[in-house]
Amino acid sequence: MFRIMYFSPRIPPNTGNAIRIAANTGCELHLIEPLGFTMTDKQVKRAGLDYHEMAHVRVHPDLPSAWESLQPTRVFAFTAQATRFYTDVDYQPDDVLLFGPEPTGLPDEVLNDPHITNQLRIPMLADRRSMNLANATSVALYEAWRQHGFDGAV
């Protein structure tokens, strides 16, 4: 399945929702510190409901540690500055879908990291800054899963 990565997430309910997304799709969720909360934060727990035990979540101390652990072949960084749409990619199992923190998005040093295969965008109306992080994750992840026939789904 695919791997979701949040670089320095700041909003606890978005990460809780990502835990639910990971549990419901069979994806791994990788969180890169520093986090804007603790994993025991009640907002993370509340948003994740009872899915915490069903999700594969791993917290990495920094981005180099995550790269070393994941050994990714392809990493797609989601950013409003990209010109390529998320639907223009033929996703493969083990692809990493990388998202930045709200409200800033991924910093330039991450976007320019040599592990990044391509930068992708989710289209939206002009003069809008960004989508909710968990919603953006769902949009991209479900496109990748759709391309694989929703393998394993009921």
Side-chain angles (χ1 to χ4, degrees), residues 23-50:
N24 284 314
T25 61
C27 292
E28 298 173 0
L29 175 61
H30 296 268
L31 306 174
I32 311 303
E33 292 181 323
L35 309 179
F37 50 85
T38 66
M39 289 302 288
T40 58
D41 187 302
K42 67 180 178 181
Q43 291 180 310
V44 173
K45 295 286 187 189
R46 184 180 307 124
L49 295 175
D50 57 350

Side-chain angles (χ1 to χ4, degrees), residues 87-106:
T87 52
D88 295 337
V89 172
D90 291 324
Y91 294 95
Q92 299 172 12
D94 294 327
D95 280 350
V96 175
L97 310 180
L98 173 61
F99 298 87
E102 288 180 313
T104 61
L106 291 166

Side-chain angles (χ1 to χ4, degrees), residues 2 74 76 84-93 95 120 143-144 146-148:
F2 308 99
R74 299 186 338 156
F76 296 101
R84 188 173 186 195
F85 290 131
Y86 76 103
T87 52
D88 295 337
V89 172
D90 291 324
Y91 294 95
Q92 299 172 12
D95 280 350
L120 304 176
E143 169 59 17
R146 181 197 66 77
Q147 290 181 13
H148 290 268

Side-chain angles (χ1 to χ4, degrees), residues 55-75:
H56 178 85
V57 180
R58 182 144 181 222
V59 178
H60 302 274
D62 52 39
L63 193 55
S65 299
W67 296 144
E68 186 176 324
S69 174
L70 274 77
Q71 297 291 306
T73 302
R74 299 186 338 156
V75 178

